[in-house]
Amino acid sequence: MSEKKVWDKTNQWAEELETLKSIIEKTDLVETTKWGTAVYTHNNKNIIGIGGFKSYFGIWFYNGVFLKDDKNLLINAQEGKTKSLRQMRFQSKAEIDEKNILTYIKEAIAIEEKGLTIKVEKQTFQSDYLENALNANSELKKAFLLFTKYKQNEFIEYIASAKQEKTKQTRLEKITPMILANIGLNDKYR
């Protein structure tokens, strides 16, 4: 039994992904593993990644938004959310066109060398709900203010992103003991 490749989430595209890798190896990109998948870099900047999923396998271009895409091969996986990344998806080995892939990769490298990027818009959240709770409980407010601004913002976003009042209340009940115990919202992942 062959070993499951880290970049093939479903273990059904092994041969196809090897074909993509053999094409990418014809470039100067350096292979590394990030986020559990193969990522290819140029001057330590992410250019492309490859992976296999349930219904497709493909290449994603980290700054794909700047690619000309004359052949209309790229898609935005999450319209309205994904700003820069674009994917080239395949459902069979027969769809792989080495010449096209190399052209897109070459252009992606040139884009990186030009330094083109989309500036990430920092979202700011505000939560009257949390603010009211802090003002009503001086001990909670004192504990909250001991956190760094970054960790305070994680709590604020956690409450503010809830759409329903019931969810805001449930989340507040969850984080209150954490705040009092000086435990950040995402500390267990750090």
Side-chain angles (χ1 to χ4, degrees):
M1 189 147 128
S2 71
E3 177 186 328
K4 184 175 178 181
K5 300 291 186 202
V6 101
W7 33 265
D8 185 7
K9 302 290 184 214
T10 61
N11 207 23
Q12 65 183 2
W13 305 110
E15 187 181 332
E16 292 83 351
L17 290 167
E18 285 298 335
T19 301
L20 288 180
K21 285 182 78 159
S22 70
I23 293 168
I24 296 165
E25 286 170 359
K26 294 177 182 178
T27 70
D28 292 334
L29 295 179
V30 176
E31 183 179 351
T32 183
T33 301
K34 295 183 181 183
W35 309 288
T37 192
V39 173
Y40 296 85
T41 63
H42 176 72
N43 293 335
N44 293 319
K45 299 285 187 181
N46 299 338
I47 305 296
I48 61 172
I50 65 170
F53 302 91
K54 243 184 221 177
S55 60
Y56 67 92
F57 64 97
I59 302 173
W60 48 92
F61 295 82
Y62 287 98
N63 269 326
V65 70
F66 296 109
L67 292 168
K68 287 186 199 102
D69 196 21
D70 296 333
K71 303 221 182 278
N72 248 0
L73 300 175
L74 302 177
I75 64 163
N76 182 340
Q78 291 184 301
E79 283 297 337
K81 281 190 175 188
T82 304
K83 304 285 185 229
S84 191
L85 191 125
R86 296 295 181 268
Q87 297 177 338
M88 188 181 286
R89 293 181 177 179
F90 309 99
Q91 270 126 17
S92 75
K93 194 173 171 184
E95 295 175 22
I96 298 172
D97 182 326
E98 180 174 325
K99 187 177 171 222
N100 282 340
I101 291 170
L102 289 172
T103 300
Y104 276 73
I105 291 172
K106 192 183 225 180
E107 186 184 351
I109 293 168
I111 286 167
E112 181 54 49
E113 288 176 344
K114 288 179 188 169
L116 297 178
T117 59
I118 289 183
K119 296 279 186 256
V120 178
E121 300 164 14
K122 186 129 177 132
Q123 236 179 340
T124 53
F125 286 93
Q126 173 181 339
S127 174
D128 293 337
Y129 197 87
L130 180 58
E131 196 172 318
N132 291 340
L134 295 173
N135 289 334
N137 182 337
S138 61
E139 187 184 345
L140 184 63
K141 185 172 188 170
K142 188 176 164 186
F144 181 79
L145 293 173
L146 292 175
F147 285 102
T148 62
K149 192 75 176 148
Y150 180 82
K151 288 186 178 187
Q152 288 176 7
N153 285 335
E154 286 182 331
F155 285 119
I156 292 167
E157 181 181 349
Y158 184 64
I159 299 291
S161 63
K163 290 177 179 59
Q164 294 183 5
E165 209 59 32
K166 184 173 78 174
T167 308
K168 289 181 185 194
Q169 180 61 40
T170 303
R171 289 182 179 185
L172 180 63
E173 288 167 7
K174 176 187 174 185
I175 66 171
T176 297
M178 293 174 74
I179 292 170
L180 292 171
N182 196 30
I183 299 169
L185 184 64
N186 297 307
D187 282 0
K188 67 180 177 183
Y189 303 112
R190 290 188 173 96

